[in-house]
Amino acid sequence: MSTSAVRVRPAIGRVRWIVAVAVFVVLGLVPLVLTDLTFFIQTVLAAVVVTGLSLFMGYAGQVSLGQSAFVAIGGLTVATLTVNLGWPPLLTFVLAPILGAAVAALIGWPLLRLRGHYLAFGTLAVLLILQTVMATVPFLGGGVGIFGIPPLSIGPIVFTGQLPYAYLALAALAAVMVATHNLVNSRFGRGIRALAGSETAAASSGVPVLRSKIVVFAIAGAFAGLAGGIAAFFTPFVSQDSYPPLASFGYVVMAMIGGLGTLWGGVVGAVAISLWLQLLSSLAALPGLPPTAGPILQYAGYGIVLVVFLLLLPHGIVPSVTAAAARWRRRRPPGAGRTVHEEVPVDAR
């Protein structure tokens, strides 16, 4: 590698951090100009969940169709402990990602021995079982749900209104992305990236395959539990209908559209799909359309997006844009800016 290429890599890293900070500054200004922040908060929390799912599917090469189960664990942690047991809201908020990770690790021990579509259906089964338990056990809502979740409070500060939860969701997203960036660039991260290529080759290189998959699954569960805990405080209500299988399918679509195995793929995918579904919801609300138009358009919307992107951008938005930018830089004359020897990774980390 040339000396100029070595100099370029730190520069690219600094530019990425500057861009990341600029993006979050812009996102921090958005709540100040919106009158209703429900859609904004839901989109940011979806990005939190999808970032963990992209880590599990893209870097570790696994599949999960039941990620809403861990969102539900976070929501149930907040709802049951505050309403039924009277625990302090801040304590339940801290426990939400911890229990999300613990449950993911517990069920991941037997479940992650499966592969491919067997693993996908196994994770979906976990969500369906959890929904059934929530619909029958009174402590978990008993089919009615749990109402009256108190607002989150940190000392004398009480989160009232939508604005504090918008910034809490943004803070959670920033923390999740920093944690993911540090993880994938660590020694452990290099090991889990080997899993996506070949588990046999990774094992022969000394990577503890099952343990690595469980750790990544637990991290994705923690991210989902964190999002579920924030959503429970914001709503403030949880029931089995709050975590439908369609939401889990949506998380997978968001991860694929944004770009699996990329840091920004979860954010881009969550924003793109959320805006697309919001447009379809607006169309379904037009006069003259039947009440079933909303769910039908939502299912059709997922199908249309998947087909279009699998045909045109099979790797997702972020990898395609990054690869196009890299090709453009390589086509420039050697004297125009950076050298032709610079190396740009495909995955926008």
Side-chain angles (χ1 to χ4, degrees), residues 1-76:
M1 186 183 301
S2 66
T3 306
S4 58
V6 174
R7 294 196 197 100
V8 166
R9 281 178 178 264
I12 293 176
R14 287 193 295 271
V15 169
R16 286 176 180 165
W17 279 109
I18 292 173
V19 171
V21 171
V23 168
F24 273 92
V25 168
V26 173
L27 290 176
L29 296 176
V30 171
L32 300 177
V33 299
L34 296 177
T35 55
D36 186 4
L37 297 176
T38 302
F39 174 75
F40 178 84
I41 294 172
Q42 290 175 345
T43 301
V44 174
L45 293 180
V48 173
V49 178
V50 177
T51 299
L53 184 61
S54 180
L55 178 68
F56 182 65
M57 293 180 63
Y59 289 104
Q62 308 303 305
V63 183
S64 174
L65 292 178
Q67 209 64 15
S68 287
F70 306 111
V71 182
I73 293 297
L76 285 174

Side-chain angles (χ1 to χ4, degrees), residues 14-274:
R14 287 193 295 271
V15 169
R16 286 176 180 165
W17 279 109
I18 292 173
V19 171
V21 171
V23 168
F24 273 92
V25 168
V26 173
L27 290 176
L29 296 176
V30 171
L32 300 177
V33 299
L34 296 177
T35 55
D36 186 4
L37 297 176
T38 302
F39 174 75
F40 178 84
I41 294 172
Q42 290 175 345
T43 301
V44 174
L45 293 180
V48 173
V49 178
V50 177
T51 299
L53 184 61
S54 180
L55 178 68
F56 182 65
M57 293 180 63
Y59 289 104
Q62 308 303 305
V63 183
S64 174
L65 292 178
Q67 209 64 15
S68 287
F70 306 111
V71 182
I73 293 297
L76 285 174
T77 299
V78 168
T80 57
L81 296 183
T82 55
V83 177
N84 297 340
L85 300 181
W87 287 27
L90 180 59
L91 177 59
T92 64
F93 173 68
V94 173
L95 288 176
I98 295 176
L99 290 182
V103 172
L106 181 63
I107 67 173
W109 179 257
L111 202 61
L112 292 174
R113 300 174 191 271
L114 302 174
R115 296 185 181 182
H117 61 278
Y118 296 105
L119 175 59
F121 289 129
T123 56
L124 179 60
V126 170
L127 172 60
L128 297 178
I129 292 170
L130 181 59
Q131 280 191 308
T132 303
V133 172
M134 291 177 65
T136 55
V137 177
F139 184 78
L140 301 179
V144 178
I146 302 177
F147 298 84
I149 299 173
L152 178 62
S153 58
I154 303 176
I157 303 174
V158 180
F159 285 49
T160 56
Q162 295 183 329
L163 192 60
Y165 290 104
Y167 287 115
L168 179 62
L170 282 175
L173 178 59
V176 160
M177 293 186 70
V178 170
T180 302
H181 175 271
N182 292 334
L183 177 69
V184 299
N185 288 285
S186 65
R187 181 178 179 181
F188 174 77
R190 291 190 292 272
I192 63 173
R193 275 183 278 176
L195 296 176
S198 171
E199 291 187 11
T200 304
S204 64
S205 301
V207 177
V209 174
L210 180 59
R211 188 177 67 186
S212 298
K213 290 194 290 186
I214 291 174
V215 171
V216 178
F217 196 45
I219 293 172
F223 292 172
L226 175 61
I230 296 174
F233 281 116
F234 174 69
T235 308
F237 164 76
V238 299
S239 73
Q240 72 276 7
D241 296 328
S242 303
Y243 314 102
L246 182 60
S248 278
F249 300 151
Y251 295 143
V252 174
V253 174
M254 290 174 183
M256 294 178 63
I257 297 305
L260 292 174
T262 63
L263 181 61
W264 285 95
V267 178
V268 173
V271 172
I273 296 300
S274 296

Side-chain angles (χ1 to χ4, degrees), residues 269-280:
V271 172
I273 296 300
S274 296
L275 290 174
W276 172 242
L277 295 180
Q278 185 72 6
L279 174 62
L280 294 179

